[in-house]
Amino acid sequence: MSPTEPRSPVSHRKLGIFGVVALIAAGLAVGTGIRAREEQGSKLKEWTDDQAVPSVAVTLPNAKSLNATIDLPGRLEAYYRAPIFARVQGYLKSWSADIGARVKAGQVIAEIEAPDLDQQLLQARADLASQQASARLSEATLNRRKTLVASNFVSAQEIDERTADLSNKNAAVKSGQANVERLEALAGYKKITVPFDGVVTSRDTDVGALINAGGGSGPAMFVVSDITKLRVYVNVPQNYVPAIKIGAKATIALPEYPNRTFQATVEASSQAVDVASGTTRMQLGLDNSSGELMPGGYASVKLNLQRDTAPLSIPASALIFNGSGLRVATVGADDKVLFKTVTIARDLGREIELASGIAPDDRVITAPPDGLSDGDAVRVVGAGGKPATASEKQQPKS
């Protein structure tokens, strides 16, 4: 066909149909792209909003007692301990019991020379003899005067005077006798005796040493201790005192016996709190019939606690301390944060026993993130919900 021939109507119609189809296809492509963009933008917004809500792990307070004991330092003391001082003044003549010696009640362990006391005793005995002689003479004189009363040779007044003189002389005799007995009793203290069976745990004297009477002028000559039973003294913090009853058992550990423990019993409590330390002193009884343990030693005391209810415990990481005090963050039923003020009963390291502030059914955030406030929405994972999957953690691509 030559160029001058006119185009057929069919060709023009095909071109028109093709153009319409192309326009429709382009419109569909544009609409689909816009819709895909809108859906992807919506998903991105939902993912962003979801990521803005912090994820937290929660746990319920543990009502099981983690440790029904408390470890405290203690000090061993002899059940009976007697510092022995001299009752007379003089010089030490001899001693027979050194430290570590086992002694019996009444045993003489030292003797004192007291020449001044000896002379006082001799003088008192001489004075007593003189007083007794005077009393005998007064009595004889009175008896002779009484025989002359019937002949009116002696007046009744003289008889009364002689009777009174005899009474005075007898009183002087009694006074002199008491003075002699007092000095004799003091002379008996020249021999130092043991008050009870025990061990000499200290000797601070020697032969020839000047001995002063009384207990306020120097150290004791000897210290005797009964160590068949020991007292263990321990200072218990005030908040634990109600949980430690008289008769409660305790385990004693000593540094010199690293692989052994000893059993003791709570015997007494001071029933008072020391204002300086905030503790109450308690006394425990410890059998030491074998003599292995030494008074004055350090001991680690593990006391059993008796409680009416088990305390609630939480992880230490759940505690928050700031200007509002000591608190924990809990998650309510609506998955919103609620802060609660708590008080600590015991710090056990990774676990904290609480005295008050939370209930057994509170969901406590184990590691609260910074910036949480009351009423903030959170997403519970871990113990309180399912953890986010890996696909949920990936940000959608545009």
Side-chain angles (χ1 to χ4, degrees):
M1 183 172 52
S2 69
T4 58
E5 281 186 13
R7 295 179 181 264
S8 67
V10 175
S11 298
H12 287 286
R13 190 179 304 116
K14 287 181 179 181
L15 288 175
I17 293 172
F18 178 77
V20 171
V21 170
L23 289 175
I24 293 174
L28 290 174
V30 171
T32 302
I34 293 173
R35 187 164 53 252
R37 288 279 184 175
E38 290 177 351
E39 291 178 357
Q40 191 167 2
S42 177
K43 290 180 179 180
L44 179 60
K45 184 177 182 304
E46 291 177 1
W47 182 88
T48 303
D49 293 341
D50 188 60
Q51 290 299 109
V53 176
S55 298
V56 296
V58 299
T59 184
L60 294 177
N62 186 3
K64 179 181 178 181
S65 181
L66 297 176
N67 190 2
T69 62
I70 181 174
D71 292 329
L72 295 170
R75 185 66 61 183
L76 302 181
E77 296 290 346
Y79 211 79
Y80 298 107
R81 179 180 179 275
I84 299 177
F85 294 89
R87 289 281 286 114
V88 297
Q89 185 167 332
Y91 295 91
L92 188 67
K93 180 180 180 180
S94 63
W95 57 269
S96 59
D98 208 346
I99 57 174
R102 294 190 176 273
V103 292
K104 298 290 185 179
Q107 177 180 338
V108 177
I109 58 175
E111 188 173 353
I112 299 173
E113 276 188 334
D116 293 346
L117 177 61
D118 294 340
Q119 294 302 315
Q120 291 175 21
L121 181 56
L122 290 175
Q123 181 182 354
R125 285 171 176 168
D127 291 342
L128 176 60
S130 175
Q131 292 160 355
Q132 288 173 336
S134 297
R136 286 194 297 267
L137 177 60
S138 179
E139 184 179 9
T141 301
L142 176 62
N143 290 335
R144 284 194 297 270
R145 292 293 188 270
K146 284 182 179 180
T147 61
L148 299 175
V149 172
S151 61
N152 292 324
F153 184 77
V154 177
S155 65
Q157 177 67 28
E158 185 176 354
I159 295 298
D160 291 341
E161 290 174 355
R162 292 293 178 181
T163 302
D165 181 66
L166 178 60
S167 297
N168 289 335
K169 296 293 174 43
N170 286 333
V173 169
K174 290 180 180 179
S175 176
Q177 183 65 43
N179 189 42
V180 169
E181 292 175 354
R182 179 183 67 84
L183 292 173
E184 286 177 343
L186 282 176
Y189 287 113
K190 292 192 295 183
K191 293 183 177 181
I192 306 299
T193 58
V194 178
F196 49 78
D197 295 355
V199 176
V200 177
T201 54
S202 175
R203 177 183 64 81
D204 196 4
T205 190
D206 212 336
V207 174
L210 176 63
I211 306 300
N212 294 313
S217 56
M221 297 174 60
F222 299 89
V223 176
V224 177
S225 302
D226 180 4
I227 61 172
T228 55
K229 186 177 180 181
L230 299 179
R231 303 177 195 263
V232 184
Y233 289 103
V234 60
N235 295 323
V236 180
Q238 180 179 349
N239 54 328
Y240 295 114
V241 172
I244 301 174
K245 310 296 183 183
I246 301 300
K249 300 301 180 182
T251 302
I252 309 297
L254 302 168
E256 62 266 36
Y257 298 108
N259 299 321
R260 295 177 58 186
T261 57
F262 303 85
Q263 297 302 309
T265 304
V266 178
E267 292 184 339
S269 169
S270 66
Q271 298 296 315
V273 177
D274 179 66
V275 295
S277 63
T279 60
T280 295
R281 169 159 285 199
M282 289 193 172
Q283 174 186 304
L284 290 75
L286 176 61
D287 180 67
N288 189 37
S289 54
S290 62
E292 296 177 296
L293 309 181
M294 298 179 293
Y298 166 82
S300 176
V301 183
K302 179 177 288 187
L303 290 162
N304 293 327
L305 302 178
Q306 300 176 14
R307 293 174 172 174
D308 297 331
T309 58
L312 299 177
S313 60
I314 62 172
S317 60
L319 290 177
I320 302 172
F321 184 74
N322 52 28
S324 300
L326 190 64
R327 301 184 299 169
V328 296
T330 63
V331 179
D334 55 356
D335 286 347
K336 290 187 177 180
V337 175
L338 175 63
F339 282 89
K340 293 188 175 182
T341 302
V342 297
T343 55
I344 294 177
R346 278 201 301 170
D347 186 348
L348 301 174
R350 294 184 178 180
E351 297 288 332
I352 301 293
E353 282 188 2
L354 297 181
S356 63
I358 61 173
D361 57 349
D362 282 337
R363 294 190 296 171
V364 178
I365 300 177
T366 57
D370 293 337
L372 275 185
S373 301
D374 275 327
D376 286 352
V378 293
R379 184 171 61 254
V380 175
V381 298
K386 296 181 180 179
T389 62
S391 60
E392 291 173 341
K393 294 179 181 180
Q394 294 179 352
Q395 179 177 352
K397 296 180 181 180
S398 58

